[in-house]
Amino acid sequence: MAYLNQSWRFSGSLYRSLFSSMLLAFFLWLVPAQGQALPSLTFDRFYSHVGVLGLTFSDEVKKLAGSEVEIKGFMAPPLKAESQFFVLTKMPMAICPFCSSDADWPEDILVIYLSERQTFVQNNSMIRVKGTLEYGSWRDPETGFISQLRLRNAEFSSL
C-alpha cells in the first residue's frame, strides 16, 4: 500500500510538471517573440536591374513587400519642419530628392512615412528605420510627390 501511495505521488508530480510545461509552451506560442530580428534591407538590394529603361525591383523587395523591415541610412533634409515623412538616403544629402520625376527616381533613396511625428535629426547622422515595405510607383495625394519605394507606419532611432 505504501508503494502504491508513493507511486501515485510521483506520477502526480510528474503530471503537474508535464501540465506546467505544456501550459508554458502554449503561452510562449501565443506571445510573439520580443526582440525578434526584423528582415534587414540595404540600398544595394532594392533593384535587380538599373538601366536606361528604368528600374527593376529585386525579388527580395517583392518578397518583403507588406512585411515590416529595418534599414539604416541618412535622413535627407526635410522640406518642412512639420512633416510626417522624410527621405532616407544611402549617403548624406544636402538637397531634397523629390525634384526628380518618376523616370528619374534615384536608385538609392527610400521614402519614409512615419506612424507619428518624430523630431527630425541632422542629415549627417545615421539612423535605423523600421516600417512596412511597399514598392511601385505611387503619388502622394497630399504632396503630389512620387515614390518608387516606401516604408509606411515607420519609426526611426539614431544610432
Side-chain angles (χ1 to χ4, degrees):
M1 182 80 165
Y3 174 75
L4 266 173
N5 196 14
Q6 286 178 347
S7 173
W8 181 84
R9 257 188 275 147
F10 174 74
S11 64
S13 65
L14 181 65
Y15 285 123
R16 278 192 300 276
S17 177
L18 182 60
F19 178 75
S20 297
S21 298
M22 288 172 51
L23 193 59
L24 177 62
F26 176 73
F27 282 114
L28 288 175
W29 176 73
L30 280 179
V31 177
Q34 298 296 324
Q36 186 177 25
L38 293 175
S40 183
L41 195 58
T42 58
F43 290 91
D44 59 337
R45 297 188 331 227
F46 287 170
Y47 305 100
S48 60
H49 179 73
V50 177
V52 294
L53 297 179
L55 305 168
T56 304
F57 295 104
S58 70
D59 289 340
E60 183 174 7
V61 163
K62 292 175 185 176
K63 181 182 94 175
L64 291 173
S67 301
E68 190 174 21
V69 299
E70 77 173 19
I71 186 169
K72 296 175 188 173
F74 296 89
M75 184 182 292
L79 293 176
K80 300 186 298 183
E82 290 295 317
S83 185
Q84 208 159 342
F85 74 94
F86 65 91
V87 175
L88 190 72
T89 63
K90 184 177 183 177
M91 302 296 292
M93 290 183 95
I95 59 170
C96 174
F98 279 121
C99 301
S100 300
S101 72
D102 189 0
D104 298 328
W105 185 257
E107 74 226 36
D108 58 355
I109 65 173
L110 178 66
V111 180
I112 308 297
Y113 288 95
L114 300 169
S115 56
E116 57 187 45
R117 292 187 193 273
Q118 286 184 251
T119 304
F120 290 146
V121 298
Q122 292 187 357
N123 61 338
N124 60 354
S125 299
M126 184 170 273
I127 60 174
R128 174 183 291 124
V129 184
K130 297 176 185 179
T132 304
L133 180 65
E134 290 182 356
Y135 75 96
S137 183
W138 182 76
R139 181 181 297 270
D140 186 322
E142 287 184 36
T143 63
F145 294 136
I146 296 172
S147 64
Q148 290 292 324
L149 282 168
R150 298 160 295 286
L151 286 187
R152 295 234 186 244
N153 299 320
E155 59 185 43
F156 69 90
S157 58
S158 296
L159 292 176

